[in-house]
Every structure is written in C-alpha cells, then in structure tokens.
Amino acid sequence: MDRDPQSSSGGGYDGGFRRTAGRRPVTDYGSSVAQWMRNRQPRYKGGVTMERERPSASYVVDMLPPAARPQTAADAIPVRHLHSSLNKVKQPVNVVRWTPDGRRLLTGSTSGEFTLWNGMAFNFETIMQAHDSGVRAMEYSHSEEFIVSADHNGIIKYHQQNLNSVKIIDALDKSCIRDLSFSPNDSKFVTARDDAKLKIYDFAAGIEESVLLGHNWDAKTVDWHPTKGLIVSGSKDHQVKLWDPRNSRCLTTLHGHKNTVAKASFEPSRGQLLATCARDLTTRVFDLRMMRDICILRGHEKDITTLVWHPIHASLLSTGAADGSIFHYLLDEPNTPAGSPASIPPYDSSDPSNAPAQTIYPAHRIQYAHDFSVWSLAWHPLGHILASGSNDRLTRFWSRARPGETDCFKDRYHLGEVAAEARGTWDRRSGRRMMREEEEQEAEDEADGLVDQKLPVTQSALPGIPGLALPGLGTSNGATTGAPQKNILGMGNLVRPPHIPTNIANMDPDQFAAMLAGGTLPLPPPPIAGGGQGLPPPPPLPANFDFSKLPPGVFPPAFQLPQGFPPPPAVSAGVLPGIVSDNAGSRRRAPLPSQQESLMEEQRRGKYRPVR
C-alpha cells in the first residue's frame, strides 16, 4: 500500500548519501481497495478468496485494507514511519484530524493556525490563521459538512470544508476549551472547559442550551456516544462521569484513576466499550454493560496524554505518552511479559462482577516516536495510516510494514538514535541532512501552495483606478518608499509628489504617452478641499495636442480629471485586450481563451507544427 517512487540511498561511486530530486514516500491505497472490491465475497462464503500474505516483498500486491480482514487486528498495527511534516513556522501541534474522505490531514497548532497536509504524499497544501490563540479542540460533523474548532480563549468557530469561517461563538468567561464532541445526529455538540463545566450547544442556532455541573476541577475531555444519548467526561479531579444530555443529570461516576484523566473515548464501531487514560501511567477499558473496568493497559513509563480507537478493529487501541512514545494494544492478546503473573478477562471468571480487571501489555512499542509529548492521535478512515501530533512541532505518519520488511523495527524510532547508530541502521549526519532536506522540501511546498490570507487590502491612491498607486506617493497599501517626503498642506498624510515638468506644452505626444504609461510622469494631486491654498494650476496644453496617441484605456470611464485638463476622448468597450466594460462603467476581465484557440494561435505564429 505504500511505495517510495525514488530511492534515497546509495547513489554515487563513493557510496555516500546523495539526495535524489523529488524524493518523497507515497502511500496509495487505490490499488489495494480496488483489488479487494473486485475479489471480495460475502463473509459466509469466506470473505476474500485471495492468497494469504507471506513475508516476501512479492506479496506487496496482495496487501488488503483493514476492512478486508476485520478478525485480524494485528495486521493493522502501524509500525513503520512514513513521513515527518514540519511547518516553516514551527509550533507545537495540539490536534490532528483526518478529513472525512481521507485525502488530507488537518492540524491545529498553538499559534491558532490550521495546516492542511496531503494524505498520500504528505506534502504541505495550505495554511490559514483560524484562531487568535492556540487551537485546543477540533471535530468534523458526522454529515462531513462542517468543522467545529475551539481555542484557548474559549472561542468556538464553525468552518466549512474549504476552511471558510461561517460562525463565531464568543464565550463570556474566556475559559479554555479542552475538548468537544458532536451528537450522533449533529444537532448538538458538547464542550469541556477549564472551569469544570460541560456546556451543550445547539449547532444550528449556535447558542448554549444547558450546563452539566458535577466535576470539582478542570474538565479535560468529553465524548458523545456514537449512537446513544450518552456523554462521558474526564476531569482533573480523577473522576470519569457519564451524563444524560436530555436532563443534564449525572448517571454514574467511575472511580479507578489516581490522577488527572487526560482522554476518554467511546469505541466507535460497536459502542460497548469506553477507554480512559490518565497521568497515573494506566489506561482503563470499561464495559458499559457491566459499568466496570475489564482491562488495565500498562507499559508506559510517563504520563499518558491521549488515546485513539481503530476505526475498523474494536480490539486495537493506541496510546501516546509524555515521553513521546506510542504504544499499540490488542485487547484480546494480553502479551504478558516473562516473570509476570498471567490474568484472565472477567468474562471467563465465575463471578464477572467482582473479578479483577485483566492486565494487558503492549503488542508493539514505538518508544521514540516523538521527542516530546504526544498530544493527539488520529486514524485514517480506512484504518491503514495513523497520524500523530506532538509538542516537538512535528506531524508524523505511521503505517504497517510491507510483507518481508524488517528494517523498520531497527530504526531510530524503535531503538533510539544511539542504538540505531551503533547498529548501523541510522547515521547521525545523514539523518540531520535528511531532516534539513525535508524541511527545505516542506518550505518549497509551502511557498508553492501557500495562499497568504493575511495580505492587507490594496488601497488605491488615485480615485477611480483601483489598486494603482501614484509614483512617489508610496505603495498601494500606504507604505512609502525612498526618502521621507513632505506632506501636502491640508491633505493629512498625503505626501507631495515629485516636481512636475513644466515643458509639457512643448513635449512630443509620443514621449508624453511613454512617460505616462511607464509611470515616470506623476499626475497632479486632487484639489484641496476646505478652501486652502493648493498647488498652482498646470500649464495649458497646446491646441494641437492629440489625445488619440495616448495608450487606449489610460483613463477609466468614471475618472474625473483635475481642473485645467481638457476632457479625453471616450474609450469604447473592448479597447483594452482582455478587458470589457458594462453599462455601469466598471471594467472586468474578459473570459480567457480556450486551450484549443491558444494552440491554434501559436500554430499560426509558426511555433508548433500541425499534427501529422
């Protein structure tokens, strides 16, 4: 499912590292999904009739998406590092979310910016300033039409899929919003705040409907059940509460954690399990049918900061910690290390209600996934790529290993830089060079694809000519250039233009037209209002001055010349190439020619030969 179109090692007689132009890992799931759709059968007939994958590179063509084998969750564990994406303006990444179609990844940073990354080549696409403070929460609606984001100042914004902001909800208390979640029908959403309150909003009206009170400290996380009217929240008071959103009543409180609850999430495919993680180094899985914890996930050495369920496999759970590690757990495989007592699940005991919870250890560890805390994890909708955002300002993509690939288990993300360098699987100098080249590539992508949405509006210095600045009066946005100039008396900040030539009467019309078209001849300023003393009137033009030799369209139809200038001849519509005028006198760009007409024009000029 993933490929490297151009190799990155080896190139050169000396065997040293040489960068290949355009090197970029690409993950294309199209062929795998198409092959699965062509060969799949109903599950009672066996599901997929293809040959099983074997540890050989030739079986890459037989790789199938996770939805093809829902019983084998181990095949979907992301163990291979694909790419690290870094903005030119480096800021910690607080939240990552895949678009519903899986084509792009949207990230929110502490600077309030949204960054859009390509989901197949992982290159930069666009960036925009969405909030004035750090983005703390972000969620797509189930209808896939809107994005709701919240920041550190308690401001909530609605965005369309093209990232246009359509609505702003400004909070009066300015309390930081840590998390938010949509109801199953998208009619409401709930937020968790630092003031220990959970607030439910009507999505269409954008107003607050109810407040859930019960936590004694900051509310850190909240999640709405995927199919039921049930809300779960976690707080700094070590408690996990379940709420009824219809009457704002707390149904029950789950006690189990001994420190701040960082994340709580319902299992999305079946909705029977609830996972919570906290700073007590444990993750607990609760069964909603029994209202008790059935699994305790151990293995982390630092505070657990986030978790995420796999979208297809209900038994695969991934967690991120404050030391930058990412662990993957299989709930049906305890993976008990040697020397530790084995435990059984409560379902297999004679008294499930009172049996102790089963202890489960990681099925796979990526100990050095990031350099600092992992703040957010998000699965691709197909379940084959995991994206992680961290405090080290990087967004990283992870996928499963290809058949027969074992080098990914010996890289610096699994062993660390020192151990990987000792094994010869990573070179510090080459790694720094590759990181620098990746940053340069991201900077090039950002320069190519960036649309600067913070550009100031262009102001016209001359009435009637939008976007055109007078020479010597500064740029079109008001910034002056060159040496400071004196202002015109009575005109505020309008600076005095350069000296106007006095030999206009004896000037050749062609020379005058060239100077006017080139911008070297400034026009006189407008008359001063208020009866103040203005500039002397310009010298009269000769009687034989021919306006027809001026470039057509120099003066717009609605332009008023200062006193002393004779009226120019009327400009008919369509005089300027590519410009048309309507009845109101405004000019607009004419339709662009088609590619076929352009090709025919080039053929007439002799640049392209006709097709034989």
Side-chain angles (χ1 to χ4, degrees):
M1 296 175 68
D2 55 293
R3 58 186 178 89
D4 194 351
Q6 297 185 7
S7 177
S8 61
S9 61
Y13 293 103
D14 55 353
F17 178 84
R18 180 177 63 87
R19 179 187 179 187
T20 305
R23 173 187 175 272
R24 182 177 294 278
V26 177
T27 300
D28 186 6
Y29 53 84
S31 59
S32 300
V33 174
Q35 189 174 12
W36 170 52
M37 296 179 65
R38 182 180 59 185
N39 298 322
R40 64 179 178 177
Q41 294 180 355
R43 291 185 181 178
Y44 69 90
K45 292 185 178 181
V48 182
T49 58
M50 297 176 56
E51 186 178 358
R52 283 283 182 178
E53 300 172 9
R54 299 183 183 181
S56 175
S58 60
Y59 283 85
V60 173
V61 296
D62 295 326
M63 294 182 68
L64 296 177
R69 298 194 177 107
Q71 292 82 14
T72 56
D75 293 344
I77 296 179
V79 299
R80 184 173 184 268
H81 172 258
L82 291 178
H83 186 72
S84 298
S85 299
L86 180 65
N87 280 348
K88 184 171 65 174
V89 181
K90 302 176 180 63
Q91 294 290 340
V93 181
N94 290 336
V95 57
V96 295
R97 290 291 181 270
W98 287 93
T99 58
D101 56 5
R103 294 181 180 270
R104 295 169 181 86
L105 179 75
L106 183 64
T107 65
S109 65
T110 55
S111 61
E113 293 177 337
F114 280 174
T115 306
L116 205 60
W117 304 95
N118 189 281
M120 299 179 65
F122 316 116
N123 59 293
F124 170 86
E125 288 202 354
T126 187
I127 188 172
M128 64 167 292
Q129 189 71 35
H131 290 267
D132 296 332
S133 59
V135 180
R136 294 296 180 181
M138 181 169 52
E139 198 70 35
Y140 275 89
S141 63
H142 296 92
S143 63
E144 305 178 0
E145 295 181 359
F146 294 95
I147 314 166
V148 175
S149 60
D151 62 12
H152 192 81
N153 293 335
I155 298 178
I156 303 173
K157 291 188 177 182
Y158 296 1
H159 308 270
Q160 295 176 333
Q161 284 192 348
N162 56 4
L163 302 184
N164 286 339
S165 180
V166 295
K167 190 176 182 61
I168 300 177
I169 304 176
D170 194 355
L172 299 178
D173 51 4
K174 302 297 182 181
S175 180
C176 175
I177 298 178
R178 295 293 178 177
D179 202 2
L180 63 87
S181 181
F182 269 98
S183 64
N185 58 0
D186 291 340
S187 62
K188 295 175 176 59
F189 66 93
V190 60
T191 62
R193 297 173 172 268
D194 277 354
D195 56 1
K197 297 179 182 178
L198 304 177
K199 294 186 178 182
I200 299 178
Y201 292 84
D202 183 90
F203 177 72
I207 59 176
E208 176 185 329
E209 281 195 347
S210 59
V211 180
L212 309 182
L213 301 175
H215 282 294
N216 301 319
W217 216 342
D218 301 357
K220 294 295 185 180
T221 179
V222 68
D223 192 23
W224 205 307
H225 195 277
T227 58
K228 297 178 174 60
L230 184 63
I231 295 176
V232 62
S233 64
S235 172
K236 202 173 180 180
D237 59 3
H238 313 172
Q239 296 179 359
V240 177
K241 291 182 178 291
L242 295 174
W243 307 82
D244 186 350
R246 294 167 293 184
N247 52 19
S248 305
R249 185 170 60 92
C250 178
L251 300 177
T252 185
T253 301
L254 303 176
H255 301 274
H257 291 291
K258 300 178 181 179
N259 210 324
T260 302
V261 180
K263 186 69 175 178
S265 176
F266 290 107
E267 196 276 317
S269 59
R270 301 177 183 176
Q272 298 177 355
L273 301 179
L274 168 66
T276 61
C277 65
R279 293 184 176 180
D280 56 1
L281 314 183
T282 62
T283 299
R284 294 179 179 266
V285 179
F286 296 86
D287 192 331
L288 298 179
R289 297 166 296 182
M290 303 171 62
M291 281 298 174
R292 56 151 298 177
D293 51 347
I294 58 173
C295 297
I296 301 178
L297 312 184
R298 300 185 182 275
H300 279 288
E301 299 176 356
K302 296 293 183 179
D303 300 346
I304 305 176
T305 54
T306 185
L307 61 84
V308 64
W309 291 93
H310 193 274
I312 307 297
H313 301 292
S315 60
L316 179 56
L317 185 66
S318 302
T319 60
D323 58 355
S325 61
I326 298 178
F327 288 0
H328 305 286
Y329 297 87
L330 295 175
L331 302 186
D332 51 1
E333 296 182 11
N335 297 300
T336 304
S340 300
S343 58
I344 61 174
Y347 306 114
D348 297 339
S349 64
S350 58
D351 188 6
S353 300
N354 300 320
Q358 184 184 19
T359 302
I360 296 179
Y361 294 89
H364 186 78
R365 306 168 187 250
I366 308 178
Q367 188 66 44
Y368 306 95
H370 286 274
D371 296 334
F372 298 104
S373 300
V374 180
W375 293 131
S376 181
L377 296 172
W379 278 101
H380 190 279
L382 285 179
H384 69 294
I385 297 180
L386 177 67
S388 60
S390 170
N391 199 41
D392 60 3
R393 304 167 297 183
L394 288 172
T395 302
R396 283 182 171 151
F397 299 86
W398 312 85
S399 179
R400 59 176 176 169
R402 291 175 290 191
E405 185 178 16
T406 58
D407 294 340
C408 61
F409 301 99
K410 304 175 184 178
D411 58 7
R412 67 187 184 97
Y413 304 105
H414 290 80
L415 304 179
E417 295 183 357
V418 177
E421 190 173 11
R423 282 175 170 259
T425 57
W426 184 75
D427 181 40
R428 187 177 301 272
R429 292 178 298 177
S430 299
R432 291 176 180 175
R433 187 183 299 112
M434 291 179 62
M435 178 62 69
R436 184 171 61 253
E437 291 171 354
E438 289 180 358
E439 293 181 6
E440 293 175 357
Q441 183 67 35
E442 297 296 348
E444 293 175 3
D445 295 339
E446 186 169 353
D448 294 339
L450 180 61
V451 178
D452 193 359
Q453 302 185 15
K454 297 181 290 184
L455 187 66
V457 179
T458 301
Q459 301 292 339
S460 175
L462 188 63
I465 304 183
L468 179 61
L470 285 178
L473 295 183
T475 58
S476 59
N477 57 1
T480 58
T481 58
Q485 304 179 27
K486 296 181 180 180
N487 296 341
I488 300 178
L489 181 62
M491 295 299 294
N493 295 327
L494 188 63
V495 296
R496 188 183 302 275
H499 177 68
I500 302 176
T502 57
N503 57 346
I504 297 180
N506 301 325
M507 188 180 298
D508 182 71
D510 296 335
Q511 182 183 0
F512 179 82
M515 294 180 65
L516 187 61
T520 59
L521 180 65
L523 293 177
I528 299 177
Q533 183 180 0
L535 295 178
L541 295 176
N544 58 349
F545 189 85
D546 189 6
F547 273 97
S548 62
K549 293 186 178 181
L550 291 177
V554 171
F555 302 104
F559 177 71
Q560 299 294 333
L561 284 174
Q563 187 177 3
F565 277 83
V571 181
S572 58
V575 174
L576 287 179
I579 300 294
V580 296
S581 301
D582 52 13
N583 296 332
S586 60
R587 299 187 300 173
R588 56 185 174 84
R589 184 180 296 276
L592 298 177
S594 63
Q595 294 183 0
Q596 185 177 4
E597 294 176 355
S598 302
L599 179 59
M600 295 175 61
E601 179 64 25
E602 295 295 330
Q603 290 178 352
R604 283 193 294 267
R605 296 178 181 178
K607 294 185 178 180
Y608 295 94
R609 294 183 178 181
V611 181
R612 289 182 294 179

